Amino acid sequence: MTSFISRLYKQTRGFPTIGLLALAVSAAASAATTSLNQSWDFYRDDARTADTVDKVPAGGWSKVDLPHTARLEAKMPVNAWQGSAYYKKSFDAKVAPGEQAILRFEGAMNVADVWVNGKHLGTHLGGYLPFSYDVTPHLKAGGGNELVVRINNEDNAVTGPKPLKDLDYIQYGGIYRDVTLTVKPAVHISDEMLSNTEAGGGVFITYPQVDKKAAIVRVKAEVCNTADEARTAQLSQRLMFKNARVADGADKIELAAGECRHVTRDLKVERPQLWSPKSPNLYALQTTVSSKGARDVVTTRAGIRRIVLEKGKLLVNGEPTFLRGVNRHQEYPYVGYALSPQADYRDALLIKRAGFDYVRLSHYPHSPAFMAAADELGLMVLPGIPGWQYFNPDPAFSAQVLKTCSEMVRRDRNHPSVLAWECSLNETQMPDQLIEKLHNTVHREYPGDQAYSAGWVPQTYDVYLQARQHRLDDKKPLPNKALIVSEYGDWEYYAMNAGFNQTAWGDLKEADRSSRQLLTDGEKRLLQQAKNLAESHDDNFKTGAVADGYWVMFDYARGYAPDLESSGVMSIDRLPKFSAEFFRSQRSAAEKSAKWGGGPMVFIASHWTKESSPQVRVFSNTDEVELFLNGKSLGRVKSGPSKTHPNLAHPPLEFDAGQFQAGTLKAVAYLNGRKVAEHVVQTPAAPVKLDVAVDDLAVKSTAGDLVFIRAKLLDANGTVVPESGKSVTFAAADGYEIVGPGTVATEAGIASVLVRVKGGKGAINAEAGTLRGRL
């Protein structure tokens, strides 16, 4: 897992990270990428008086690093920040004649104005996708350049979606993803966002032929000459698998001064190692262009695979596949969207471990780091454009929507993890003309038969996305195309109207029937959530869907309401609820990986206290389960479809303990008569100590990483005491900095604090009354 950080490609940017570049390029003149993430001056214009950077008051600046959120929010934000803020940074850059300097932003919310040395480079609309500028003519030869950015995340009629007061999630402000400066040699591979070429720019990999015997890897690269003279260049492609050369190709090209040209080369791969959710094999494509002793090297990760999406059918490399999935918002508590790449990877890892192979990226493009993690772990993803229950008839709005669709495909087209493209305004009455244009945009940006458009309306799109709450009252027949259950398990258990009008709350269901259950709500309600999920997931199989996506993986801040949206199978602090174990039990016991675990499992969904139900629920993906109470068998039950869950291979199992008896519950799971897994739950006693540990999932932290520190309430036997609401105070020293409050309450016996890694060895102390713990 740790290899991900060292091998993380910024593949969608058209160039690799600094570490990879150092490995791929010799000491000869070459492209150089510099991170601009460190040491910015920051000013948040809460007074709304600084309409220009010159009006920032003296002494108003503070020092920050990127990724950065404009204001830390409470875990349950009320009146989340909206406004303008300024970022300012000095930097040096050496640019020789003919070279090109490219300034690139991976994400800045939501409207960004950029100046270099007082020159306004432009205004970028939309907070989720990259934008680049050629800053070559604006740099000072002697260094001492100044970069100024003004961001604004207020409600915007052109970018949408609906205003924050009605929006059920937050668009956090700030420059929350990377900023880089790349100096390219005169002849180089273009930046795909700067190029702004339909189905072009940078490096674009497609696979016109794929089977187990052979594959064609088609590489389309745009080469530019920014010298003031004609140049001859050599463009070469080298495909590698696990450091072994697989295929090569080269082209000699002539470029006039100022000319850019696309060059396509096919590479034949014998017996390819195909990418799939079960076997996420990745190749590395090195694209090199050389001219007059200088060269530019771009390394792009590639996954060779073929997808067929039709009604009732998903084939991945010819294999029939059903994708069990989940929706995800990309936020963390306090910092919002400003995640570290390791935090994004940990989210992907938690999703894969929980039994999912598919993620709907709701409701906007997620970070390059998450996309790269999905490639590596074998998560198929559905990227979507921003949009939810909002349409503006102004032509500028539709133009922005279409532009966002193009840029999303352009950024993420090389990721093998992409299943389809949700260029659709979710739950929005879109004009037919816009629907047609969005569908066509997907296919123009990604020609061939390996791009699928997806939308929530039944017409035009290649894939129909239908939420279960909409299906329940829908009497119309399903269209003749692939169906994905876009959302399920939340709204239909939350409100009787279960439709579009989220503000019509006169008919809310009782809280204990809902899927919106916090980790602190206790066993009974957590079991109700798991029951809802099992019922609705079972029901999805009756539709002929090729995938479904539970709403939602992690609890998140609603923004317009003073609570968390709590239907997550994990808390906002990434602690599992019983539902996460249910989904884990739905993955075949035969599937396992050194990266994400898997294999046979069994889980007792009980803390076994006086408040626990004697009807004990157990989740397992094996043939049989036997449950013991204090050494006495409560029965051995076969797993498999049942009257209540006819479509689940591994429905929840129930055992009758008669009445509560303090002691030990032990579940033993069998495959083919052989014991393969067990889970033990003990009645907790009074807490006597705090166990403090870093929850990094074995993903190596570096400076700037965000990671949770956990303090568990343990009894004398080492059992977690599932007490909620107990106050725990953390104190950080040396290599850690606490983000958000240092005093937090336990949730089911665990207190979580978010820390930023500063580098070096860190220390954390925790105390809860007389209890002490130390990391």
Side-chain angles (χ1 to χ4, degrees):
M1 297 174 204
T2 56
S3 63
F4 166 78
I5 301 304
S6 62
R7 293 187 286 112
L8 176 62
Y9 298 111
K10 299 292 185 181
Q11 67 178 58
T12 56
R13 292 164 45 174
F15 47 80
T17 58
I18 296 172
L20 180 61
L21 193 68
L23 294 175
V25 184
S26 71
S30 61
T33 300
T34 302
S35 170
L36 299 183
N37 285 352
Q38 304 302 309
S39 192
W40 289 74
D41 293 319
F42 171 74
Y43 175 73
R44 191 175 62 238
D45 187 23
D46 292 334
R48 299 178 182 270
T49 58
D51 54 350
T52 65
V53 69
D54 297 333
K55 293 183 181 179
V56 173
W61 297 98
S62 60
K63 285 290 184 184
V64 302
D65 296 330
L66 307 183
H68 181 256
T69 190
R71 188 181 77 181
L72 295 179
E73 299 288 352
K75 184 178 286 189
M76 296 186 189
V78 179
N79 298 321
W81 181 81
Q82 289 185 290
S84 293
Y86 288 91
Y87 292 82
K88 183 173 66 174
K89 180 180 176 60
S90 296
F91 67 97
D92 293 329
K94 291 184 178 181
V95 183
E99 293 182 334
Q100 184 180 50
I102 302 170
L103 176 67
R104 176 153 171 152
F105 295 79
E106 294 301 325
M109 186 63 67
N110 172 49
V111 178
D113 284 277
V114 182
W115 293 264
V116 169
N117 295 327
K119 171 66 176 179
H120 185 237
L121 302 182
T123 301
H124 182 264
L125 299 179
Y128 296 104
L129 289 167
F131 52 100
S132 300
Y133 298 108
D134 179 359
V135 296
T136 313
H138 311 303
L139 298 179
K140 296 179 180 179
N145 299 284
E146 184 179 71
L147 170 60
V148 174
V149 184
R150 181 178 64 208
I151 59 98
N152 180 279
N153 75 326
E154 294 174 294
D155 300 336
N156 189 289
V158 174
T159 65
K162 54 189 175 182
L164 179 63
K165 67 180 181 62
D166 299 319
L167 191 62
D168 208 2
Y169 62 93
I170 299 172
Q171 294 191 123
Y172 294 88
I175 305 178
Y176 68 97
R177 291 182 187 157
D178 294 340
V179 178
T180 54
L181 180 72
T182 298
V183 178
K184 292 270 193 177
V187 179
H188 58 265
I189 306 299
S190 69
D191 176 285
E192 82 283 2
M193 306 310 290
L194 183 62
S195 174
N196 194 29
T197 303
E198 187 175 88
V203 175
F204 184 11
I205 308 171
T206 54
Y207 310 96
Q209 176 189 325
V210 173
D211 58 43
K212 294 179 180 179
K213 294 181 179 179
I216 299 296
V217 177
R218 179 164 294 165
V219 185
K220 181 180 180 182
E222 185 180 41
V223 182
C224 291
N225 174 23
T226 49
D228 58 4
E229 62 180 8
R231 288 286 187 93
T232 299
Q234 180 85 2
L235 177 66
S236 64
Q237 310 288 354
R238 172 167 293 180
L239 191 66
M240 308 286 290
F241 184 75
K242 295 182 178 179
N243 298 318
R245 185 174 62 189
V246 174
D248 287 287
D251 294 276
K252 183 179 179 181
I253 53 178
E254 303 287 341
L255 294 168
E259 182 185 1
C260 290
R261 183 186 304 171
H262 284 87
V263 180
T264 300
R265 161 68 62 171
D266 284 354
L267 304 176
K268 186 172 183 180
V269 180
E270 302 289 349
R271 296 183 297 279
Q273 300 297 310
L274 301 182
W275 188 97
S276 73
K278 293 180 181 179
S279 301
N281 296 304
L282 291 170
Y283 289 76
L285 175 72
Q286 293 181 351
T287 303
T288 304
V289 60
S290 305
S291 178
K292 286 197 171 182
R295 60 179 182 165
D296 185 18
V297 180
V298 173
T299 302
T300 310
R301 286 207 299 195
I304 302 173
R305 57 100 174 112
R306 184 164 185 82
I307 292 174
V308 174
L309 271 166
E310 297 173 354
K311 184 175 183 179
K313 181 191 297 183
L314 167 61
L315 301 178
V316 180
N317 304 323
E319 181 179 344
T321 302
F322 175 84
L323 294 172
R324 183 174 298 103
V326 71
N327 285 256
R328 178 208 186 221
H329 271 301
Q330 67 175 7
E331 73 171 62
Y332 253 34
Y334 316 120
V335 299
Y337 291 166
L339 274 63
S340 62
Q342 295 101 318
D344 269 312
Y345 183 84
R346 292 186 192 104
D347 267 11
L349 183 57
L350 287 169
I351 291 169
K352 188 74 175 184
R353 283 184 175 180
F356 300 112
D357 292 320
Y358 154 71
V359 190
R360 182 174 177 233
L361 304 179
S362 307
H363 290 290
Y364 40 77
H366 290 214
S367 74
F370 188 86
M371 297 296 294
D375 292 340
E376 183 163 310
L377 292 169
L379 284 171
M380 301 213 79
V381 297
L382 182 68
I385 60 174
W388 186 41
Q389 299 180 348
Y390 175 82
F391 180 79
N392 180 353
D394 184 341
F397 174 78
S398 292
Q400 176 67 22
V401 170
L402 292 166
K403 181 175 182 289
T404 302
C405 175
S406 288
E407 292 178 345
M408 179 178 72
V409 177
R410 204 169 295 155
R411 188 196 74 165
D412 292 336
R413 63 198 179 188
N414 290 327
H415 289 283
S417 55
V418 173
L419 175 66
W421 306 93
E422 189 178 348
C423 282
S424 171
L425 300 176
N426 186 50
E427 296 184 349
T428 302
Q429 298 300 328
M430 299 174 287
D432 289 346
Q433 186 180 32
L434 178 59
I435 293 171
E436 190 74 29
K437 287 181 178 180
L438 286 166
H439 166 76
N440 290 338
T441 296
V442 170
H443 290 284
R444 285 199 306 267
E445 282 290 344
Y446 199 122
D449 64 354
Q450 285 299 286
Y452 296 91
S453 68
W456 82 278
V457 292
Q459 72 266 29
T460 308
Y461 291 107
D462 300 318
V463 179
Y464 180 34
L465 306 175
Q466 185 185 51
R468 182 172 183 257
Q469 65 262 28
H470 303 159
R471 179 176 85 237
L472 294 179
D473 294 324
D474 189 0
K475 307 303 181 185
K476 298 185 292 294
L478 291 171
N480 186 27
K481 61 181 65 175
L483 168 70
I484 293 176
V485 181
S486 57
E487 303 171 14
Y488 74 93
D490 171 33
W491 255 110
E492 66 267 40
Y493 297 96
Y494 182 65
M496 295 299 290
N497 58 318
F500 301 117
N501 189 359
Q502 69 184 72
T503 59
W505 284 357
D507 57 356
L508 284 179
K509 293 186 177 182
E510 298 89 344
D512 59 5
R513 292 176 61 189
S514 175
S515 299
R516 300 190 179 187
Q517 306 294 352
L518 293 166
L519 193 57
T520 56
D521 285 338
E523 274 188 47
K524 181 179 179 181
R525 286 171 62 171
L526 292 177
L527 286 168
Q528 180 65 39
Q529 183 195 54
K531 179 181 179 181
N532 294 349
L533 273 55
E535 175 188 83
S536 52
H537 182 49
D538 181 273
D539 182 57
N540 289 338
F541 284 104
K542 296 188 297 187
T543 66
V546 299
D548 66 358
Y550 171 67
W551 188 272
V552 63
M553 182 64 196
F554 307 109
D555 293 349
Y556 61 92
R558 304 178 71 188
Y560 81 119
D563 61 358
L564 295 178
E565 209 288 16
S566 55
S567 62
V569 298
M570 300 188 83
S571 73
I572 194 170
D573 291 333
R574 278 50 180 175
L575 291 172
K577 304 174 190 177
F578 291 157
S579 294
E581 300 296 333
F582 161 71
F583 278 119
R584 197 160 70 93
S585 73
Q586 299 309 295
R587 187 189 295 282
S588 168
E591 292 184 47
K592 56 179 156 180
S593 165
K595 289 183 178 180
W596 48 261
M601 62 79 65
V602 63
F603 179 83
I604 303 168
S606 174
H607 300 308
W608 201 235
T609 67
K610 290 181 180 180
E611 290 74 33
S612 298
S613 170
Q615 300 298 315
V616 181
R617 202 173 310 172
V618 177
F619 306 130
S620 180
N621 60 356
T622 58
D623 298 337
E624 294 180 287
V625 173
E626 188 170 14
L627 186 67
F628 298 86
L629 173 57
N630 295 327
K632 180 181 178 181
S633 176
L634 300 180
R636 186 161 167 170
V637 178
K638 290 184 179 294
S639 181
S642 63
K643 289 183 179 180
T644 54
H645 299 96
N647 302 301
L648 297 185
H650 300 288
L653 305 175
E654 286 204 354
F655 296 83
D656 187 358
Q659 61 183 11
F660 172 76
Q661 299 176 39
T664 301
L665 284 173
K666 183 170 77 169
V668 179
Y670 303 89
L671 271 176
N672 300 318
R674 182 173 61 88
K675 176 181 173 181
V676 291
E678 71 173 39
H679 182 224
V680 175
V681 173
Q682 290 184 304
T683 303
V688 297
K689 60 181 178 179
L690 285 175
D691 177 63
V692 182
V694 56
D695 194 3
D696 62 5
L697 304 183
V699 178
K700 185 178 180 180
S701 288
T702 54
D705 187 17
L706 290 167
V707 65
F708 288 103
I709 304 293
R710 317 286 191 194
K712 296 180 180 179
L713 294 173
L714 299 184
D715 68 9
N717 295 319
T719 299
V720 174
V721 182
E723 179 182 343
S724 294
K726 189 173 185 64
S727 182
V728 179
T729 298
F730 293 82
D734 303 323
Y736 291 130
E737 173 191 8
I738 293 176
V739 179
T743 299
V744 297
T746 57
E747 296 182 305
I750 304 174
S752 303
V753 69
L754 184 65
V755 300
R756 179 172 283 110
V757 176
K758 293 160 50 178
K761 187 174 181 180
I764 295 283
N765 292 310
E767 60 179 64
T770 60
L771 305 181
R772 302 285 188 274
R774 179 178 174 83
L775 175 64

